[in-house]
Amino acid sequence: MSEFLNERQIELKARARDIAERVVRKVSAQHDRDQTYPYEVLEELRKASLTGVWIPREYGGEGGGVLDLCVVIEELSRACGGVGVAYAVNALGSFPIILAGTEEQKKRFLPDIATGKKLVAFGLSEKEAGSDAGSMKTRAVREGDHYILNGEKKWNTGGKVAAINTVFCVTNPERGSRGISALLVEDGMPGYRKGKEEDKMGIRCVPVIEIHFDNCRVPAANLLGGREGMGFKDAMMTLDRARPGVAAQALGLAQGALELAISYTRERQQFGQSVSSFQGIQWMLADMATQVEAARQLVHYAARVVDSGARGLSKASAMCKLFATDTAMKVTTDCVQLFGGYGYCKDYPIEKYMRDAKITQIYEGTNQIQRLVIAREMLREAAAGKESPKDSGAAK
Ligand code: CAA
């Protein structure tokens, strides 16, 4: 549905759908099988000027917001969840530069990201620091005009193909999360090594790797924002803006799977009639369509809240991530069910939707962490006296 999107978003949606239908659908299964990066899709995205949708115009982008980004991610993910995240992770990696970079850093890094010449990743998680991101151990020590970086990062989505990695590290171990900073690490910097690539259940076309820093020398000019100690907040603010993108990926997967299921149940004949003529199947289709539309409205609402800069964006962002990704898991699983035994085999693309959907409940903050973010903000609002039952008259 395109209702309530503006003209520009409808046009972006059409541009993304064209690439999804013309290119992504043809190459998706092969990249899934071989775990290879979809460079031909990247080339099409570059030609269609979609690689810089979220980057401000003054740095070579399209000047779009999070809703514009979500519209594109949904369309790509409707054809392939892996392609959706291969695209979206560049927003995750570059939001810290947009939000907190110095003017010099924005001018140096953003134009090449906007054209798709350089891909970018986000290095936050470590083997022992996943949900508890603030407990990271990767350490940077200033030596003259460089930082010496030591440690390793895990779950670095897109890291293998990225030329730039936004890496969060401890610069002052005495200060807890206030002692965390971010360094913009570039390919070729001495001591920066890309390591093990994960063999994943889904989103197999986007490489997820470990990255290692062995006395890696990073120029002090690459300290994000030119200030130490801001890294954790910058990471949290980034995730607030990026989580609607994960939700849009989930939404695209759910929408794409539902369309395949509608088409299959119309064609599949059992007991002398189309499977879609059975009421039990129709109820499943109706429930799924309702859940998908509810997810879409929450994703669009959250993206608009983020774009408006309104208070409470963490809550809206976490809510849409939680709801849309749980919806995607349920809908893709039910769609596999509708395909019966064929759904469990690779003859049809439907099983891939279910595999691709699972990660959306896990990365960029597990859905348990999203609930924590939502509840914390609700309780903060309650403590501040906002929206209390007494004020709203509900207690009378
Ligand atoms: N915006 C701005 N500042 C924020 C913030 C936000 N949304 N959330 C927290 N902060 C600030 C707090 O105000 C606090 O600041 P002060 O020190 O000035 O008081 C500081 O950050 C610490 O906050 P908390 O005490 O709330 O931090 P916490 O340690 O309790 O952690 C958490 C909070 C929400 C659990 C956080 O750790 C979190 O989001 N965890 C999940 C991490 C995550 O999403 N990881 C995924 C990484 S990306 C990925 O999946 C791979 C990929 O490549 C796709």
Side-chain angles (χ1 to χ4, degrees), residues 131 155 157 178 232-233 236 240 243 314 363-365 376:
S131 292
W155 316 126
T157 305
R178 291 184 185 186
F232 191 76
K233 282 192 185 175
M236 293 299 113
D240 285 344
R243 284 174 179 154
S314 301
Y363 61 18
E364 291 194 35
R376 277 186 182 185

Side-chain angles (χ1 to χ4, degrees), residues 25-209:
R25 283 207 199 270
K26 284 194 198 123
V27 298
S28 170
Q30 188 205 324
H31 288 305
D32 175 60
R33 195 169 51 242
D34 302 342
Q35 274 219 147
T36 43
Y37 190 80
Y39 281 108
E40 65 278 77
V41 177
L42 174 63
E43 225 23 68
E44 292 290 330
L45 291 166
R46 292 185 69 178
K47 274 196 256 166
S49 300
L50 287 172
T51 41
V53 164
W54 63 93
I55 293 177
R57 284 189 190 282
E58 59 266 44
Y59 308 111
E62 296 272 303
V66 170
L67 182 54
D68 302 80
L69 175 66
C70 285
V71 162
V72 176
I73 296 172
E74 181 188 337
E75 284 306 320
L76 297 175
S77 306
R78 179 175 155 268
C80 174
V83 164
V85 67
Y87 172 78
V89 78
N90 292 289
L92 174 68
S94 58
F95 276 147
I97 307 175
I98 296 169
L99 285 169
T102 62
E103 192 52 33
E104 184 276 327
Q105 288 166 347
K106 288 179 187 178
K107 285 193 177 131
R108 185 151 52 102
F109 291 106
L110 294 177
D112 281 347
I113 298 171
T115 60
K117 183 176 170 199
K118 288 190 177 169
L119 302 177
V120 54
F122 183 78
L124 181 68
S125 303
E126 298 180 359
K127 281 181 186 160
E128 305 299 331
S131 292
D132 184 8
S135 68
M136 69 179 67
K137 295 281 181 290
T138 296
R139 181 87 163 92
V141 177
R142 177 106 186 218
E143 261 186 35
D145 56 2
H146 279 78
Y147 280 91
I148 308 301
L149 185 61
N150 278 289
E152 56 186 18
K153 292 284 167 184
K154 186 86 180 161
W155 316 126
N156 197 245
T157 305
K160 185 175 160 188
V161 292
I164 307 157
N165 224 309
T166 305
V167 175
F168 296 84
C169 53
V170 177
T171 44
N172 186 344
E174 313 289 307
R175 301 204 69 215
S177 64
R178 291 184 185 186
I180 291 172
S181 305
L183 292 174
L184 300 163
V185 179
E186 297 170 77
D187 266 1
M189 285 182 173
Y192 173 37
R193 185 167 58 82
K194 299 180 178 187
K196 177 190 167 208
E197 181 174 346
E198 309 297 342
D199 187 1
K200 307 182 300 303
M201 173 194 287
I203 58 156
R204 286 173 57 79
C205 72
V206 59
V208 174
I209 61 165

Side-chain angles (χ1 to χ4, degrees), residues 97-356:
I97 307 175
I98 296 169
L99 285 169
T102 62
E103 192 52 33
E104 184 276 327
Q105 288 166 347
K106 288 179 187 178
K107 285 193 177 131
R108 185 151 52 102
F109 291 106
L110 294 177
D112 281 347
I113 298 171
T115 60
K117 183 176 170 199
K118 288 190 177 169
L119 302 177
V120 54
F122 183 78
L124 181 68
S125 303
E126 298 180 359
K127 281 181 186 160
E128 305 299 331
S131 292
D132 184 8
S135 68
M136 69 179 67
K137 295 281 181 290
T138 296
R139 181 87 163 92
V141 177
R142 177 106 186 218
E143 261 186 35
D145 56 2
H146 279 78
Y147 280 91
I148 308 301
L149 185 61
N150 278 289
E152 56 186 18
K153 292 284 167 184
K154 186 86 180 161
W155 316 126
N156 197 245
T157 305
K160 185 175 160 188
V161 292
I164 307 157
N165 224 309
T166 305
V167 175
F168 296 84
C169 53
V170 177
T171 44
N172 186 344
E174 313 289 307
R175 301 204 69 215
S177 64
R178 291 184 185 186
I180 291 172
S181 305
L183 292 174
L184 300 163
V185 179
E186 297 170 77
D187 266 1
M189 285 182 173
Y192 173 37
R193 185 167 58 82
K194 299 180 178 187
K196 177 190 167 208
E197 181 174 346
E198 309 297 342
D199 187 1
K200 307 182 300 303
M201 173 194 287
I203 58 156
R204 286 173 57 79
C205 72
V206 59
V208 174
I209 61 165
E210 291 177 0
I211 51 176
H212 305 271
F213 309 101
D214 306 308
N215 289 320
C216 173
R217 285 174 68 77
V218 182
N222 286 24
L223 172 69
L224 184 73
R227 281 174 71 192
E228 289 187 6
M230 300 305 292
F232 191 76
K233 282 192 185 175
D234 292 339
M236 293 299 113
M237 285 163 55
T238 292
L239 288 166
D240 285 344
R241 282 151 186 84
R243 284 174 179 154
V246 179
Q249 183 200 351
L251 175 60
L253 281 165
Q255 176 69 43
L258 179 57
E259 287 170 19
L260 291 177
I262 292 168
S263 155
Y264 181 81
T265 54
R266 289 180 71 232
E267 281 165 22
R268 174 79 173 160
Q269 297 279 319
Q270 287 295 282
F271 303 102
Q273 52 193 312
S274 141
V275 166
S276 65
S277 66
F278 296 115
Q279 195 180 47
I281 303 294
Q282 290 176 2
W283 286 8
M284 280 178 78
L285 293 174
D287 280 346
M288 288 193 284
T290 307
Q291 288 152 7
V292 170
E293 199 47 44
R296 179 172 291 109
Q297 296 311 321
L298 192 53
V299 173
H300 288 192
Y301 161 75
R304 288 190 173 103
V305 171
V306 172
D307 285 338
S308 74
R311 288 167 73 93
L313 64 88
S314 301
K315 185 172 76 175
S317 168
M319 279 178 167
C320 81
K321 199 272 188 188
L322 169 65
F323 188 79
T325 63
D326 281 356
T327 297
M329 200 61 235
K330 175 155 182 16
V331 166
T332 55
T333 306
D334 285 351
C335 287
V336 166
Q337 186 70 21
L338 289 178
F339 274 70
Y342 291 105
Y344 200 66
C345 302
K346 291 183 193 266
D347 306 33
Y348 288 89
I350 195 69
E351 56 83 35
K352 177 176 176 299
Y353 281 77
M354 191 173 104
R355 288 190 284 112
D356 285 353

